[in-house]
Amino acid sequence: MKIQKYDALVLGAGAAGLMCAIEAGKRGRRVAVLERAERPGKKILISGGGRCNFTNLHCRPENFISSNPHFAKSALARYTPSEFIALVEKHKIPYHEKTLGQLFCDRSAQDILGMLQTECAAAGVRVLTSVNVQEVTRGDEFAVNAGEMEFHAPVLVVATGGLSIPKMGATDFGYALARKFGVAIRDTRPGLVPLIFNAEDHRHFADLAGVSTEVIVACDGQSFREKMLVTHRGLSGPAILQISSYWKTSQPIRVDLAPDCEVTKRLQLPGSPRTIASIRSELQKVVPNRLASRWLETHTPSAWTNAALRETEREIHEWPFSPDGTEGYAKAEVTVGGVDTDELSAKTMESHKVPGLFFVGEVVDVTGHLGGFNFQWAWASGAAAGRAL
Ligand SMILES: Cc1cc2nc3c(=O)[nH]c(=O)nc-3n(C[C@H](O)[C@H](O)[C@H](O)COP(=O)(O)OP(=O)(O)OC[C@H]3O[C@@H](n4cnc5c(N)ncnc54)[C@H](O)[C@@H]3O)c2cc1C
């Protein structure tokens, strides 16, 4: 058995692992990143539709979900979007703001991965791919057994990501390792994921697949105003992906189909025609024609009185959408939940119980909203650990 010794081992060459290794390498640590896949950063390459939404200019702690909403603050404050943007600019990577502070590469996500690999090389970090980690043990130091090779270091950083997109190799490795060392896990569920119609909504709306409209969706004390998209199976689009991270089965999601508009206002004026055609024409001013017509077929006013119109108005702004479920990890961008933040130092990401063991990135119970926040968490938590190794 060949044994290789390092100052620190990082499991997983994704966004968080590479950033952590770079920061530690820059401080003179001898670091090896052990990656199971045949190449590093696969998720970076598919992110943001291939252009990687690498950060968000308006990053605030409120953009993250965690059992402890204060946990992420320290790391986020010590590695800000400006710091990552400075790195991107140093590498002369062209980028643009798409919307709502979301920064994307002009060319391709490969620019970000290439930048991280260049930084790794400059910091003397070894990135080893196709490493099949079989066992991790801890004696005087951590030992990572990978078949014919064994890697030893006093410090181990777990950056193996979450459960989303198993087709790309996501597994529960990080959670299993945490459990093995007695580190608690908060229940995991798919986040930033399309939602599936219940049988009744499926009958009414599935054939409208492709229709999209701006809505406000609300659930569990959170709301988002963005586009909603009808699909063959349910609802998607940024508004739905955002709220999906907060949705728990049995809660309906409130959908405001016509934000800021009073659809029945004209109908309630004396002398206005009060017919299904007139209300449809009002709703069609703010909601795509087919969705407006279909929605009114299922929510026809019970009468043409002002009271009944007010009730329809309320329903337009508070449509209770009760999904049957989500499209699961196969379609989820992230995993909500993970390594319990109570177990970790907010400053360094080190386990309180197991000195030398760190968790960074998506494997931790910190999940960003859609819009570059998940990468910002990966950079910030990776840097926090890397600077402490
Ligand atoms: C389709 C899609 C698009 C996305 N787009 C964006 C976006 O534009 N902006 C944004 O902010 N976020 C986006 N995300 C989310 C973002 O990709 C993740 O939050 C981020 O990659 C998490 O980084 P990480 O380093 O923690 O984990 P990962 O990037 O998942 O990296 C984990 C690495 O660990 C490796 N690994 C796993 N198990 C082992 C093991 N046993 N041994 C060794 N290595 C192992 C994996 O192969 C992987 O390389 C997107 C996600 C998806 C699925």
Side-chain angles (χ1 to χ4, degrees), residues 71-80 346-347 349 376-377 380-381 384:
F71 178 81
K73 286 181 180 171
S74 167
L76 291 170
R78 284 177 300 117
Y79 193 94
T80 60
K347 198 163 167 237
M349 308 292 136
Q376 188 55 36
W377 169 247
S381 59

Side-chain angles (χ1 to χ4, degrees), residues 12 14-16 34-36 47-48 53 159 161 165 173 333 361-362 372 374-375:
L34 310 181
E35 166 59 52
R36 193 184 37 194
S47 68
N53 176 194
I165 323 282
F173 182 90
E333 266 192 29
E362 198 177 320
N374 283 296
F375 277 134

